[in-house]
Amino acid sequence: MREIVSIHLGQAGIQVGNSCWELYCLEHGIQPDGLMPNNTSNDSFGTFFSEGRRGKYVPRAVYLDLEPMVIDEVRTGSYRKLFNPNQLISGKEDAANNFARGHYTVGREFIDQCVDRVRKLADNCSNLQGFMVFNAVGGGTGSGLGSLLLERLSNEYGKTLKLGFTIFPSPKVSTAVVEPYNAVLATHSMIEHTDIVVQLDNEAIYDICRKGLRLEKPSYRNLNRLISQTISSLTTSLRFNGSMNVDISEFQTNLVPFPRIHFMLSSYAPVVSSSRAYHELNSVPEITNAVFDPSNMMAKCDPRKGKYMACCLMYRGDIAPKDVNTSVGSIKTKKTVQFVDWCPTGFKCGINYQAPTFVPGGDLAKVKRAVCMISNNTAVSEVFSRIDHKFDTMFAKRAFVHWYLGEGMEEGEFSEAREDLAALEKDYEEVVQDGQQEEEY
């Protein structure tokens, strides 16, 4: 059995988590109360669920937040009987959009309890594959407590894969004034303490929902349901049968060419609403072309301006390996999809027979096949340079910095984090230049 422990931090992490667990339950036939009425003999559920007493299945998940409101919704919601109450940990005092509160003052008192709970879950696994950490780096809990927890996990589980699904600040839509500070400080810690980070961006996913699902005003639930389909597709190989299965550690081997360059772009296809599903074929070449379309990327950056270092294509449903090979072959001939010169192969494909699960009352149509792509493209440095520019503008005037210093931070930490991100941007530039310089010689 290959297990994954999920950790959901702050409001964003918890709300994405709610959509994910709703989907996992449907995929494995588990009811909101944790029971599985038509129990099948396979143990595919074991990746995400542990079996409790009286045939009850409990998610291998920890929900953490410094204030109780969001977790209280889970405690009183329709899935309240699914989760072990000990795994829903909330404090009484909010991080107030302040990285320093989440990392130093409020978070410090809270962290031991969180690590103990994660340790208990990890000890109950026979073959722990890795941790999935869900958070947003714009707020205080996701960034501050998230960084603190990743540091602790890094110390205790150095060799275990840490996969982050992280919501970065959007270019135009902002939820907090101090987002750039929190994002830079948290990214500084993620460079060192995570193995892979999948970048998500609300604005980009809003646009996908508007274009693909024809929703005029998408809600966070619409966004999260789309994110949950992507996350589910990454782990289907651990849970269901397929002709080409991809282990979660294989992502790291294939996607990360250098340790610091582990920030990924993700996309999912087909994104079609129920009303339009019957008018579209959604053939393998069609959905393969769709995941390379810049407008389907779940972070606001243009992959055509950068170069791909590697990409993983995870197909699921009614898929023939021959169609996959043909589709990938045709992608390689496109001028818009460029790879760095030092990585000629570039593609890792997985095929799984389990078709995507339809969520009742959801917006995505029931389809026979789908594909999720996680790619390492140098264009993600756009996301960092945008945040850095906003950070510099504010930090030049030392605006809002006193809130952080008042919680025990030092001004030097801002400069250190900013320098680390500048170095990261430089790393991405060098990755592209290496090949160009060789051509010149």
Side-chain angles (χ1 to χ4, degrees), residues 132-160:
M132 278 189 180
V133 182
F134 299 77
N135 64 334
V137 290
T141 307
S143 64
L145 186 65
S147 304
L148 188 56
L149 184 69
L150 284 167
E151 283 165 29
R152 294 285 295 267
L153 288 179
S154 204
N155 292 338
E156 291 201 24
Y157 301 95
K159 288 273 189 275
T160 312

Side-chain angles (χ1 to χ4, degrees), residues 6-28:
S6 304
I7 302 168
H8 305 274
L9 286 147
Q11 180 163 3
I14 289 168
Q15 287 177 339
V16 172
N18 289 343
S19 293
C20 287
W21 288 106
E22 174 187 45
L23 183 62
Y24 300 154
C25 283
L26 289 165
E27 286 180 340
H28 293 290

